[in-house]
Amino acid sequence: MNKTIKSLLGWIVYLALLVGLVWGTPKALSYILKSEYPMAAITSGSMWPALKKGDMVFIKGIQGKDEFEVGDIVVYKNPQGFTIHRVEEKQENAVITKGDANNTLDTPVKYEDIIGKTVEFRGKPLKIPLLGNISIALSKQ
């Protein structure tokens, strides 16, 4: 009986930790990165080779146009959801972006539509390869 109770308590603790990680990690990242959307899955090949489909990237929130520059990879809202592309040009009222693997520039993006930029480590986007595939698979359900 005592062994069964210990085993049951072990499982309860394990499940509590798992729930805490699943719920708590995004909340903690939102606080640390100052972003409502601290993580995103790459859903296309438009940023290849820097980012590949299925990569999970971390997004640092930005408050104004002075917090990013040409060459940074930004995340912006659009009618279909979000786009993650590199800044090609900063204009007075808009930003011109382009996917690294794309041949054409995107339509101009208003500064207020940009929600953040990718977190970098040693000059490259911080990413977890393949982890974004879980998010992609769940969004198709």
Side-chain angles (χ1 to χ4, degrees):
M1 183 76 165
N2 196 15
K3 194 174 186 179
T4 305
I5 292 172
K6 281 185 178 180
S7 179
L8 183 61
L9 284 175
W11 276 104
I12 291 171
V13 169
Y14 173 75
L15 289 174
L17 287 172
L18 184 62
V19 168
L21 282 173
V22 169
W23 180 81
T25 299
K27 296 289 184 193
L29 285 172
S30 285
Y31 178 77
I32 292 166
L33 297 174
K34 297 174 177 45
S35 173
E36 186 178 347
Y37 309 98
M39 300 177 289
I42 303 302
T43 59
S44 76
S46 67
M47 282 301 295
W48 186 86
L51 299 171
K52 296 168 183 65
K53 184 176 180 179
D55 287 350
M56 177 71 71
V57 294
F58 298 94
I59 304 166
K60 179 182 178 186
I62 57 172
Q63 302 303 317
K65 59 184 176 182
D66 297 332
E67 294 187 38
F68 65 92
E69 45 195 63
V70 171
D72 286 344
I73 299 173
V74 296
V75 182
Y76 62 89
K77 293 184 272 186
N78 61 50
Q80 293 79 33
F82 296 101
T83 300
I84 302 173
H85 280 174
R86 193 175 304 275
V87 174
E88 294 290 320
E89 180 184 342
K90 289 174 76 173
Q91 299 177 340
E92 184 67 31
N93 297 314
V95 178
I96 306 296
T97 61
K98 178 180 156 304
D100 291 356
N102 293 351
N103 294 324
T104 59
L105 297 173
D106 301 329
T107 56
V109 178
K110 297 177 189 173
Y111 283 105
E112 56 265 19
D113 290 337
I114 297 176
I115 62 163
K117 66 180 186 176
T118 58
V119 174
E120 291 189 353
F121 180 71
R122 295 184 179 175
K124 295 184 178 182
L126 182 60
K127 61 184 177 181
I128 302 175
L130 305 176
L131 188 60
N133 285 325
I134 296 169
S135 175
I136 294 168
L138 291 175
S139 68
K140 291 182 180 178
Q141 300 282 337

